[in-house]
Amino acid sequence: MPEMIINGLAVNFRSGETVLQAALAGGIHIPALCHHPGLGHFGSCRLCLVEILAGGRPGLAASCSLPASEDLVVETGTERVVRARRVVLGLLLARCPDAKPLLELAENLGAVKFTPRPGDPGCILCGRCVRACRAVGANVIGFAWRGRDRRVAVPFDQPPADCLGCRACEQVCPVNVIKVVEDRGRIRIFPWQSEIEMAYCRNCGAAIGPGVQAGRLQKRFPVEGPLSGLCPACRRRFQAALAGGLVIQPT
Amino acid sequence: MTGNEYTDIVKRHTSPNGRVLSILEEIQRKYRHLPEEALRAAAEELNLPLSQLYGVATFYTSFSLQPRGEHIIGVCHGTVCHVKGAARVTAELEKKLGVSEGGTTGDGKFTLESVKCLGCCSLAPVVSIDGSVHARVKPETVDELIKSAIPGGAPGD
Amino acid sequence: MTEGGIKHRVESGRDLQALEKKGLELLYPGRPRIAVAMASCGRAAGSGRIYESIGDELERRGLDASLVPAGCPGLCSREPLVTVLEPGKARIYYSGVQPADAGPLVSALAGGEVYQKRALGAEVEDRLVVTGRQIDLGPPPGNLGLLADLDFYRPQVRLATRNCGCINPFSIHEYAARGGYRALAEALAGDPSGIIAEIKKSGLRGRGGAGFPTGLKWEITAGSGHDEKYIICNGDEGDPGAYMDRSILEGDPHSVLEGMIIGAYCMGARHGIIYVRAEYPLAIKTVGHAIAQARELGLLGENILNSGLSFDVEVVMGAGAFVCGEETALIASIEGHPGEPRPRPPYPARQGLWGKPTCINNVETLANIPLIAGRGGDWYAGLGTAGSRGTKVFALVGKVKNSGLVEVPMGTTIGDIVLGAGGGPDGGRKLKAVQTGGPSGGCIPASLVDLPVDYESLTGAGTIMGSGGMVVMDESVCMVDMARYFMTFAAGESCGKCTPCREGTAEILDILDRITQGGGRPEDLDTLDELSRVVKDASLCGLGQTATNPVLSTLRYFRSEYEAHIKDKHCPAGVCRNLTVYRINPELCIGCGLCAEECPGGAILGRDDQPRVISQESCTRCGACYRICPQEAIFFTGRGMPGA
Ligand SMILES: Cc1cc2nc3c(=O)[nH]c(=O)nc-3n(C[C@H](O)[C@H](O)[C@H](O)COP(=O)(O)O)c2cc1C
Ligand code: FES
């Protein structure tokens, strides 16, 4: 396997991997916020900075989007890296003064103090939710506006009709500002204000999943006649029974 | 303004390159803003997520979600115009039109904007009125300028 | 403004000669030819009306002359500009022409004379740089100097802007008559790698700001194996204070098209896109017209000049976003997304528009290509310095006497440009600083006038070449306000994707706002310095990586001015209103009362011929009185200064 040098140590990497991936696999910790192993790289938070000493353009680079390569020599803790990281973290904290994960990071890494100027409550604009919604959801959220006005938004701030309720956004948010409330057969996702009815099995009453998702599945992979509207377990049982020649009347 | 009109606009732009920009540009030009139903119709016709079009509509300064005035008065705030007193021109226009920068007059006639360098720096400060650029604008004579550039367009009337 | 004449396809060198012949008849028509500079700058100065008035006059007198629009010859501050060429005589340039001049100008022409009142200079020969050919026009009139001897033109070598102001930009024939499309014809007869080798030899570096070697970029794109490739001309030109690309697109669009077609041949691209910012409607129109003409003649489309090359170009209009000049944002924008940059690599040369290899070049870069292809790399490399070959067009603007576009060999000093061509600050004030590179560049102090302009020297001095903006500042300009201006720009244009650029520029702007309003604190300068360095170091794209150069350079060269703002609450230039106190020196005041008339706030007290006083409560510190006072009796001082 090819090798590169991180903090003076030879680290193996597979072709196509980034420096951050190689470092993590080699047991070297680099703090990162917008990076998520399940999503393509984005390079927006700038916390994962490393300093390139050789094998690339000298200076700082975001390790999450820096391809690992044979002659690359980087350091993760030079003075320049530390200084930049503290400023970046400080700027994020000025935006989200109460974000616990940031406060914890600041405790470990240090952060420069700036005047608080709260942005869109608690959101650090890492874009993980946007990318997750694009990858597995229905692409209902996106970045809107620009500069300091940038925020993750649903179009026209209207509850998105197409939201699947897949909750991918909630799962990937590093600062836990996406909240899902389950309430009387529906889920509500904040701050998008999506409201999704859950679908229940006609037979046993177990939750099948968000109604929109169930509707989509039904459209794409239709289940006909008496087997429709059942949870997988009930469907399998009835399928077996049907094969045996029984006529059933789901209640 | 039926959904069909928007769909017709979408259909006229066939090249994939710059398609979204040119469609939104045409809608903006025709309706002086991007109405919600226009974005919805365009997203549907283009088979693109509405979130993408909303992102584009809010990112670029050529687009606006609120209607702009019939006439757009853009004061250049490029470097040279800044150095040569663009702020005073804007202040004077604000006074004359009774709106602040970015605003539209109550009668929907004028929108006062700050625009990025128009590339006529040697003639600074410059003001663009409905797309045509006017050189060496003096705060004292902005109302005459508007009157001569827009027939029947005396501000404050 | 379409042209009559040849309509069939241009398929061979012979067809091209026919095009050229027709063009020569248009350029040198055997009757007077009057060209009015009608680029955006000319139109803003009123050239549209001049064009009409001259047309009316010609008709009224029944004078047979050809009247055409032209691009901008560069001296924008003297616009409206008109040139008159009579057979066998030198070409006369007129400047500052007013509609009322149309009559006398035309009657002078009818009498075979020069209209002295507006005459600027004479041109005795036309040099076609692409071919090296020289066309003698005729002797200069006795009482008029040569245009080339004017301060403004003396240091210039006009390569990229070779046709701007000479030809009718709507005429492909006139372009051909100046040697246009010849380099293309020769290129298509040869080997693509040979042309790339010439471009590498020329040392041409990208004129869009980053200065990447063009030949190398072409080689990489050519080597990116793929059957579909793109070539994009970057005409986003968002730097405030720079407009050379606009001038080329408006004045000589075919030079850019020819550069793109040569590029397409070298790199194997089938599709071309010219991305022009929305603020340039005339450029969009002119380029669109040029594309249609080239297509009509078969210089774009299938099997160009029977070479087997198929290539077409379309225009994409921007929608108001400076960051879209950054190449990955530009691609996102064309693909229908917000203009948000992405990390590189992969570089567009490998993975660009729609994932296909894409070569992105600046307008001026492309306009140089036909020259290099035609005259060879060595010829081009003969100009400039070791690291920066050829010429560069600068927008010489701001507080300078002769303002406009100057094209000079790389390595010319700041002084030769600003004090020489520009004639120094206007209005008799002292030169204070020169800002290059727009919002990505920095301010160099007047003490560095001997600095040669090339990529390395400018970077060493804390600024950049950028796209070629050169804003001259005299003592009436406040450097802290300048830094604040550029940070306002950067914060407003930041896409907001990455933390340092989004939050950092906003934080810096807050601090600068505070300083210019009198709330500066001693520790602010260190914070500014640290923040600026980190934003530069840690940002995702070139916007953030250069956005703080205006702050860093002013901190480096004008630190004492920051200190005056912070410690003494004093703006030495009198620009920052909250810090400035206006007073009247009773010994100098003659009581003329002009100041009171001018004052918008009624803050000037006293009457008759008594010395006036300023009521500090009512004064808005606009400085109107200061500017109008004929006795220079009004002065300003800092809020925190003794005696304020
Ligand atoms: C914020 C930003 C704005 C830019 N704006 C422009 C521009 O307006 N025109 C341009 O040609 N290049 C611009 N560039 C540089 C381009 O990214 C790119 O380097 C250039 O177009 C390549 O062409 P060249 O090699 O011929 O210079 C900009 C870069 C950045 C970071
Ligand atoms: S994790 Fe690399 S920039 Fe955010």
Side-chain angles (χ1 to χ4, degrees), chain A residues 41-46 49 57 59-61 65-67 80 83-85 87-88 91-92 94-95 112 114-115 117 124-125 143 145-150, chain C residues 320-322 338 340 343-346 491-500 502-504 506-508 510 527 530-531 533-535 537-540 545:
Chain A
H41 62 60
F42 195 54
S44 73
C45 74
R46 315 309 282 177
L49 296 168
R57 212 181 70 175
L60 300 188
S65 35
L66 179 65
R80 201 164 160 192
R83 183 178 67 174
R85 211 154 51 196
V87 169
V88 168
L91 289 169
L92 283 173
R95 180 185 176 86
V112 177
F114 296 108
T115 336
R117 45 163 81 249
I124 58 168
L125 296 172
F143 284 112
W145 310 98
R146 64 153 100 144
R148 272 278 300 172
D149 296 331
R150 179 177 169 101
Chain C
F322 168 67
E340 208 174 86
R344 299 173 306 171
E493 293 299 328
S494 164
C495 77
K497 178 174 177 176
C498 78
T499 314
R502 179 188 64 240
E503 309 290 334
E507 178 72 27
I508 294 174
D510 267 6
T527 313
E530 169 161 41
L531 257 174
R533 278 172 206 282
V534 170
V535 172
D537 245 9
S539 288
L540 167 63
Q545 287 162 10

Side-chain angles (χ1 to χ4, degrees), chain C residues 159-160 162 175 199 204-208 214 217-218 231-235 245 248-249 252-264 267 272-275 311 313 359-373 380:
Chain C
L159 302 186
R162 56 194 176 275
Y175 177 69
I199 295 172
L204 177 67
R205 295 171 64 172
R207 302 298 192 229
T214 306
K217 191 185 274 187
W218 284 28
I231 174 163
I232 298 178
C233 167
N234 188 345
D245 294 348
I248 293 173
L249 292 174
D252 194 18
H254 285 287
S255 66
V256 179
L257 277 186
E258 188 181 357
M260 287 180 82
I261 306 169
I262 295 174
M267 293 178 272
I273 292 167
I274 305 184
Y275 187 98
F311 178 67
V313 176
C359 173
I360 299 173
N361 276 129
N362 166 262
V363 171
E364 188 184 334
T365 311
L366 288 166
N368 275 308
I369 295 293
L371 287 182
I372 297 169
Y380 189 82

Side-chain angles (χ1 to χ4, degrees), chain A residues 20 32-35 43-48 62-65:
Chain A
L20 181 65
L33 278 169
C34 69
H35 170 78
S44 73
C45 74
R46 315 309 282 177
L47 203 64
C48 67
S63 60
C64 71
S65 35

